[in-house]
Structure formats: structure tokens, C-alpha cells
Amino acid sequence: MWITDTCYRDAVEIWELSPGGITRHRTVPCTPSFYLHLDDPAVHWELLEALESDYGAEECTFRTVHGDCEGYYVPAGREVAMAIERQTGFHADLYNVDLRPDHRHLAGEGRVPCCNEEAESRFSPELPSFPFRTIDVQIRGIPFSKDPVRSIDVVHERHEHLIGGETAVLADLAGLITAIDPHVVLFPHSDLWLPRILSSAGERGIVLPFSRSGRYRKLAEKSYWSYGRTEYRAGSLIPDGRILIDTTQSFHYRESGLAGIILGARLTGLAPNLTARFTSGTLISAYEVYEALRMGIAVPFRKSDPEAVRRFCDLKAADRGGMMFQPVPGLYDEVSEIDFTSLYPSIIVLYNLSPETLAQPGRKGFLPLVLEPLLALRKEIKVRKVSDPSYAGIDSILKWMLVTCFGYTGYKNAKFGQIEVHEKITGHARNILLTAKECAEEMGFDVLHGIVDCLWVRGGPAAALEAWIEEKTGLHTTLDFYDWIVFLPMPDGFGAYNRYYGRLSTGEIKVRGIMARRGDTPPYIRTMQESILSVMSKAGSRTELKGLEERARRIYREAESGLADAPPSSLAIRRQVSRLTYSHSCPEASAVAACRDAGIGVEPGMEIGYVVTDARTWSVELDWVARRFDRGYYMRLLWKAWEEIAFAFGQVRE
Amino acid sequence: MGRSFESVRMGIKEITGRWERVARALPGTDGEAALMVIELARRHASESFYAFDDPLEAVLFSVFIEILKIREGRYVDH
């Protein structure tokens, strides 16, 4: 049986797929409970007596990551836990208070969604097989516009094109969903479309059977701060019993596909509907919580291990971040890139770093224990990905979960994090990159560039160097060879850390930080730069590159001369707005105003597509209604994209 | 995540920004020499954060290394 969906409404509800392809729904009664520890129980004797008489609280010993803890088992919900907090003046340590009951239930049973645990391990490196019927639903139109829905494409075994008035197409869609009875619905912009079409169908007396029970769970929209950016998650209606993925909004679907979502659900124990919508940070946190519950370790409600008081100079010395060696801008031949695989989580495992091992370094830490199988899985999948690109999706979700597990150790609300662990990880990482640099220099290599977990060296085949670095550091690395690579300059002339491109020995071009890679580059300009890079990928050496300059320049000139006739939509810039009020004139401020004028609600972190119509006043039009653009502004963007490429040809000429 | 305080790199940028303003005020070749010193000061901004807390210590260290390289003929113009 495959669990396809779970939720909690007074009881845990589970939808399971039988081997015969039939979905069954079952309900499991579930009593909420939590653990309580008080440093001085005698002080709170009245409270404890009331908990015993009113809720049946019992004395017990429970496990935490720091060891066994004397306390009380309280069979009551979150409201009671919060009342205890208030009554004890926030001196109570509470555990297992804010867990999802369905998540907790599955962990207790040792089960996870999307996995037949009897036949396979959830850490299996095999690509998840899908016993699923999947359909693709695409509504033609702009979800924000008020135009009626007249055209819907549904792709399953056949491609159905539903056209007509809104009543007819919605009735046809309802009929198709009933007939196909899909387990998975892939639907671009579904989070925006679904509330609208459900309401419209309801007004017309049509039941759209996305939900198996007719009920939907609401995931509220929210703006949040992550890695220095304001992000936005649109509100969602999650149907019961079917996996509905907004293929446009879901970061993990875009990066990892359905296979990634399924692996994410297996690892975290969360329903795939949530895996598709949550951030990598929430996924790794859910994974850690699931593992803790599975091991019988209580999960703290609020952390009570504040950072120790330190002198400011000690704080500065400890919190330095990643190591970098700045490159000298230029074009370099025959360069090797040595990349430490999942460096930060590998350090957590290798050096046994966890909040509880800071005080007790001899014991095996919780974080290393739970990250070890994830790391082993990632290493295996990376190996398989080399010969089979279909592993790229599941590699990606693992990569993102492992990347965020480090950041999570420094997050104030992380259940199993502590800032000192965060600092120790970066401290080890700096020494590791320095060790790698020393190894390279001792073997006669020139170190061209280094950034946190990656080193670029020149001076011959680097396989022996890679082996030596692995031996010296005890960490796994991967090696890429570039026929040539370009490190671009910053405006002050020094080398940029994260703007480079080059041709790998496989013939593939790898780019970082340039316009072809940036998410806010208009498609017209991206296409121009990608076309030139594609031409440059034919050059295996500096000399061959020299012969391609004219072809590259021609592509740039054609883009310049064709700009006047380019459709405005190809010049759309897509950016996340960090706020709703701006003190200065800028395109984002104009885009927010344009959305408001169009009756579209905007929230911080939301991505808006706009076309600049006058750069002097930063006037813009929304991408789906834009009819014109500021040619001079886009000429400058084209020039900027060309400049990144022209730098390489300038180096060749020199 | 972490906390926010001025990094050594940011401090180096601030110091060399001030030096640049002074360089503009210096006469002829003195200004040119000052700009060169500024470039030498920035050369090791990335690596110096590894052990320095004081950006002034970092810029002086960078300038000394590069002066020594110039004297020994190992200087490479960016």
C-alpha cells in the first residue's frame, strides 16, 4: 500500500493506494499529547495536580537529544501546553507540542508516504517507481485576468483540448477527472486557478472532483525572509486524497520533478502535497523531526539553549563565514574544478557536530546520525547521475535539503540547531579549503579561485590531486575539467567570486552569475547570450575561441537590429518584490503599482513580470498586457550581456 | 542565521574608499601613486578575513606583500 495523502481533522486521515490501483481512505483516532519538564516541580504542585486530575497527566522519563529527562506525559493539546507556559512564567520545558498529528502518527508506525516499506527502503537509491495515474491540466489564459475560462488542455493517455463557454469546459473537466480518476494532477498556476474555478463551478452547479472527499485544506499564503531575500508562498487549496502540484510555483517540482517530490515525501514523512509546497528548510526540519520521533526522541517546542555570552572580538573571530580566494579576472586554459560534495553536512557527520555534542563530544550526535544516510544516498545518486541523467531530479532535492541543513543549525527556531554548531561547521570548512589549497600548491598547481567548497586549479591532470585532497581531508570530492574558463571582473576590476563561464571537457558550457543564468534576465536577452555561448561551446581551446569572435559578434548585432520588432513579452523582467512601499522610484515600485491598478493583490516576496516602457521614469507595464518597451533600456541590457562575452574575446586577443 | 556585523571585507572597502577620496585631492603623480597603493591594499581582501579582525591590519598586510613582490619583480598587473 502506498500512502498518497494524509491530513488531520480531529483524527488522522490517510489515503492509500492498493496494489490494484484503488485508493482507500481510513481514519485513525488520535489523541494529542506532549511532554513536560519542570526544573523544580514542587514550586508548581498545584498546576501538576490539576494536569493529573483534569487531563490524566503521568510522571515519566522521556528521551531528548541531550539524554533522558524526568517529567510528565500530558495527554492534551497545544492550548494546554501554552497555558502551562504562561502559568509557569515560561519556565516549563515542553516537547512534542507543535507537531503535525499525521506526521507524528506515521513516524510512530514507522511509515512514510509514497513508499512500499515492505519492498523497499525509503533511502533506496533506485528511482521511485510511480504506480500513479498522472494528468496534466493547463488552462489557457492569465490567472489574474477576469476573462472567462474558455480553453483547457488535459493530457493523460491522450491530449484533450476542451473549448467552449466556461460552463461547458468546466463540466468537461469535471467529467474527465471523474473518468480518469488520477492520483496526481500536474497543473501550472493551480494555486491561483483552483480557488477561481472551484467557485465558478460551484456557481454553475458543477462539482470539480479534484478532492476525493469534496473537502480542501487551506495552506495560508505567507511572506517570509530566507537567505537575505523576501520570499512569498501563495495560498493553496489542497485537495483530499489526490496529489495536486502547482508546477509553476513549486520550487521542488521545477528542480526535481515528480520523482523528487516523491523522494522528498519518503524522506520527510510529509504528504507529497506538502512536500511540493514547502521550502527545503521546512523539508529538512520535517526530516529531522520524523527521525527524532522514529527514534523515540522528544522534539522541543521552544528552544531553551540561548547563545552563551561572549566578548565581541570572540564573536567576530568565530563567525567568519566561508573561505574565498579571489580570482584574477581572465581566460584560463585547462583548469580543474575540485568540488567537495555536500561539504557542510559532511563536516557535521565527520566532526560529529550537534548541539548536544558541544558539551559531550564523546557521544554520537543526533544531527550526524540522521544526516549520514542522506549523505550516503546523495553520494550514490551523484555517481548514478553521471551515466543516467534521470537521477538529476532526485539528486537536486537531496542537494537542497543538505544545503539547508547547515543554515538550519544557525536558525533561531531550529529544533535541533545551535549557533555554535553553525560556527564550528564554517570554521572546519575554512580549514578544509586551506588544506586543499596547500595540497594543490605542494603538487605544483596554481590556485586560480576558491569559494567555500570549491577550488579551481591549473597545472595538469588533477586526478592525483583530488585523491590526495580526499585522503588529507577525509571528504568526498568531484572533479570537473574545463578546456577553458573565464573569470569575470567586478566593477572595481578585481575578480568576481561567482560570475564565470567555461567549457567542460564534455563540451558542455557551465555558467554562473551571468545574464543567461540570472532569473530576472528577459528571455530575448537570455536567448542572445545562450546562442553565443552555444557557438563558443564548439571551441576546445583559446585558439579555437579566437576564430569564433565574428560569429558571436554577428549574433549580438542581429539581436540589436531585431530588438525593435521583438514582442514585448520577450522583454519581460521577472523579479521578486521585497516590499510594497518604496521610498524611491524604481521598476519594482512601478510594477507593484501596476498590479494594484489591475486589481491584483501583491504581497512581499511575490514575483512580478513587467516590461520597462520608460527607464527615465521607471514606467512599466505588466508582462501579460505589455504593448511597448523602452528600446534604449533594452539595448543597454543587450550590451551588458554582450560585454560579459566580449571580455573572453578581449582576453583571447591579448 | 548568524548575526550581522561589518566584515573585514566591508571594512577594507570603507578604508580604501576613504583613501580614494584623498587620492583625488593629491597632486599629479602623488594621486597616481595613491591609487596604486589602494589597489595593492585591496588585493588580499578576500583571504585576509581568515585571521584578521581589523581591516586596517588587513590593508597594511596586503600592501606590504605586494610591495615586496614589486621589489622582487613578482608583481602581476591585474
Side-chain angles (χ1 to χ4, degrees), chain A residues 307 310 319-320 322 431 497, chain B residues 3 46 49-50 52-53:
Chain A
E307 187 176 354
R310 282 185 283 181
D319 199 357
R320 288 183 191 278
N431 283 330
Y497 302 108
Chain B
R3 319 95 172 148
S46 299
F49 92 105
Y50 178 65
F52 294 140
D53 291 330

Side-chain angles (χ1 to χ4, degrees), chain A residues 227 307 310 312 315-317 319-326 328 407 410 419 422-423 430-431 434 494 497, chain B residues 1-3 5-6 8-9 38-40 42-53 55 77-78:
Chain A
Y227 289 91
E307 187 176 354
R310 282 185 283 181
F312 188 65
L315 191 65
K316 280 185 90 172
D319 199 357
R320 288 183 191 278
M323 185 77 207
M324 284 190 265
F325 306 120
Q326 195 165 17
V328 175
I419 192 72
H422 190 275
E423 290 168 357
R430 289 192 295 274
N431 283 330
L434 279 175
F494 285 87
Y497 302 108
Chain B
M1 202 173 304
R3 319 95 172 148
F5 50 75
E6 189 187 66
V8 179
R9 284 191 204 103
I38 291 162
E39 212 230 294
L40 304 186
R42 285 176 176 156
R43 282 228 160 176
H44 300 284
S46 299
E47 298 89 357
S48 56
F49 92 105
Y50 178 65
F52 294 140
D53 291 330
D77 195 0
H78 278 192

